[in-house]
Amino acid sequence: QVQPVESGGGLVQAGGSLRLSCAASGSNFGGYSVGWFRQAPGKEREVVAKISRIGTSTTYADSVKGRFTISRDNAKKTLYLQINSLKPEDTAVYYCAAGLDYFNVQDWNYWGQGTQVTVSS
């Protein structure tokens, strides 16, 4: 079991960059697929990016391809999301989560509290 805790959110102007971190306490971080999700006001939660256990597979939402980069450091038990070229539509609460099945994100059981990212125009 793991307990993710997000950090790194904030208020940024459009075109700026931000790096989010997700520290996972507990054990066996490397045994989980992990990813970033976001939920904007009035919208459904969406998968932003996910990464497999040792980082060999990654998936990005079309809206963030080329701008966001997901990575993980299993030794540090930390997940990262590098966000570049921020747009106002990126404004949302960003969550990290972990699960055993890379594809079935609906079954991912471990979620952080979220960190707010606000992009001003």
Side-chain angles (χ1 to χ4, degrees), residues 46-107:
E46 64 174 337
V47 181
V48 175
K50 58 182 180 180
I51 187 168
S52 59
R53 303 170 195 275
I54 60 173
T56 54
S57 297
T58 58
T59 304
Y60 294 92
D62 288 341
S63 60
V64 307
K65 288 180 179 177
R67 299 188 299 118
F68 289 21
T69 302
I70 189 171
S71 61
R72 65 188 297 169
D73 186 332
N74 288 349
K76 295 182 178 180
K77 298 194 291 185
T78 303
L79 173 71
Y80 302 98
L81 185 68
Q82 178 65 46
I83 308 174
N84 297 325
S85 302
L86 278 160
K87 302 176 180 180
E89 51 263 43
D90 294 321
T91 295
V93 177
Y94 284 71
Y95 301 89
C96 65
L100 295 176
D101 192 318
Y102 182 73
F103 295 99
N104 295 325
V105 297
Q106 298 85 356
D107 295 332

